[in-house]
């Protein structure tokens, strides 16, 4: 589905650097989410947003910051990247409880 | 808060074998239930979902799942698997009245399914 786009697809960064992962959706869905996927942990919710300018912490928010100034964008920033943040990050959007649509993911490696 | 448990972390089957992946959830109220599939290198795709009504739901690619309320289970089944079913499978749950999904889906840890030709 071209409706939700994540960039970049792959990113290698150094410990301590700030990194921003982008997420853009074209459906005007109210809800947007950031998950990280790690072996043995499945998908864990980092942050979510119910609307522009409304965000809230998920299960694993430490070390991450989000913003949502526009409905269609939901960037995720790692303020000072650590090796434990090496993961695959998925953005998702939803209009209701009927189900979410996921982006293609960003594979982030912190060295 | 809700939680999801998937019993099998790795499953290896031969083509044409029958498949059943277990999923149990923990939550005191009404939930919506989902199975997602992630093919190698790809994003998650919805296989099927259950909200209400007939507890046996059919999804894409010949998959089905049965909701058993008394057991808090939502097991995924397929009568005859194919090599192309090799993927990661995730069960997920969300409270049915969470106001639009604000709390986010809660996922199980996933089951890695390998189908041998």
């Amino acid at each position: 589905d071209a409706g939700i786009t994540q960039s970049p697809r792959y990113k290698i960064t150094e410990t301590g650097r700030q990194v921003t992962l982008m997420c853009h959706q074209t459906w005007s869905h109210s809800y947007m989410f950031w998950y990280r996927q790690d072996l043995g942990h499945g998908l864990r919710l980092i942050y979510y947003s119910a609307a522009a300018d409304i965000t809230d912490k998920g299960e694993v928010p430490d070390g991450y910051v989000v913003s949502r100034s526009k409905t269609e964008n939901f960037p995720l920033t790692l303020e000072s990247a650590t090796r434990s943040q090496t993961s695959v990050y998925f953005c998702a959007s939803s209009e209701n409880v009927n189900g979410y649509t996921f982006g293609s993911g960003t594979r982030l490696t912190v060295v | 808060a809700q939680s999801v448990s998937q019993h099998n972390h790795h499953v290896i089957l031969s083509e044409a074998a029958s498949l059943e992946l277990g999923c149990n959830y923990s939550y005191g109220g009404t939930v919506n239930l989902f199975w997602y599939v992630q093919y190698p290198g790809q994003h998650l795709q919805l296989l099927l979902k259950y909200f209400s009504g007939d507890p046996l739901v059919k999804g894409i690619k010949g998959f089905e799942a049965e909701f058993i309320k008394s057991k808090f289970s939502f097991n995924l089944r397929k009568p005859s698997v194919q090599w192309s079913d090799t993927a990661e499978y995730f069960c997920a749950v969300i409270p049915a009245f969470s106001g639009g999904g604000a709390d986010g889906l809660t996922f199980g840890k996933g089951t890695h399914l390998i189908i041998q030709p």
Side-chain angles (χ1 to χ4, degrees):
Chain A
D1 290 58
I4 185 162
T5 305
Q6 290 185 238
S7 61
R9 287 296 308 275
Y10 303 93
K11 176 73 176 178
I12 300 174
T13 191
E14 295 177 338
T15 302
R17 297 262 191 178
Q18 182 181 83
V19 177
T20 296
L21 310 183
M22 305 302 293
C23 178
H24 174 81
Q25 53 113 348
T26 60
W27 296 301
S28 299
H29 284 167
S30 298
Y31 301 95
M32 295 189 75
F33 309 85
W34 275 106
Y35 287 87
R36 59 177 290 174
Q37 184 181 19
D38 304 288
L39 198 62
H41 291 280
L43 281 89
R44 292 179 290 175
L45 184 64
I46 305 170
Y47 268 95
Y48 59 94
S49 169
D53 297 323
I54 301 175
T55 62
D56 210 342
K57 296 178 180 179
E59 181 184 355
V60 288
D62 293 344
Y64 304 94
V65 174
V66 293
S67 62
R68 195 161 176 213
S69 57
K70 294 183 179 181
T71 299
E72 61 266 30
N73 295 324
F74 191 40
L76 176 74
T77 298
L78 289 66
E79 295 184 296
S80 178
T82 65
R83 289 196 179 89
S84 65
Q85 293 177 308
T86 292
S87 186
V88 181
Y89 292 85
F90 286 100
C91 179
S93 72
S94 172
E95 189 53 40
N96 51 47
V97 296
N98 292 342
Y100 297 8
T101 302
F102 287 81
S104 297
T106 294
R107 184 175 293 275
L108 176 68
T109 302
V110 183
V111 298
Chain B
Q2 61 272 20
S3 65
V4 179
S5 176
Q6 292 183 239
H7 314 300
N8 314 102
H9 298 300
H10 298 276
V11 174
I12 302 174
L13 294 172
S14 298
E15 277 194 315
S18 63
L19 170 71
E20 180 161 2
L21 301 182
C23 172
N24 285 90
Y25 69 94
S26 174
Y27 184 70
T30 304
V31 295
N32 294 337
L33 295 151
F34 306 84
W35 275 97
Y36 281 86
V37 61
Q38 185 180 31
Y39 298 104
Q42 298 188 24
H43 63 284
L44 277 78
Q45 301 173 43
L46 182 65
L47 264 182
L48 48 79
K49 56 189 177 184
Y50 173 79
F51 299 151
S52 63
D54 188 345
L56 183 62
V57 293
K58 295 190 184 299
I60 61 172
K61 305 186 180 186
F63 286 91
E64 64 179 32
E66 184 176 13
F67 172 53
I68 303 179
K69 189 175 181 179
S70 61
K71 295 185 178 180
F72 297 88
S73 70
F74 190 54
N75 293 352
L76 181 71
R77 300 195 292 247
K78 186 171 184 179
S80 177
V81 295
Q82 301 172 312
W83 176 79
S84 58
D85 292 324
T86 294
E88 191 88 16
Y89 292 80
F90 293 95
C91 182
V93 63
I94 188 169
F97 306 108
S98 68
D103 295 337
L105 286 168
T106 298
F107 286 87
K109 293 184 177 181
T111 296
H112 187 51
L113 176 65
I114 297 174
I115 307 300
Q116 297 177 329

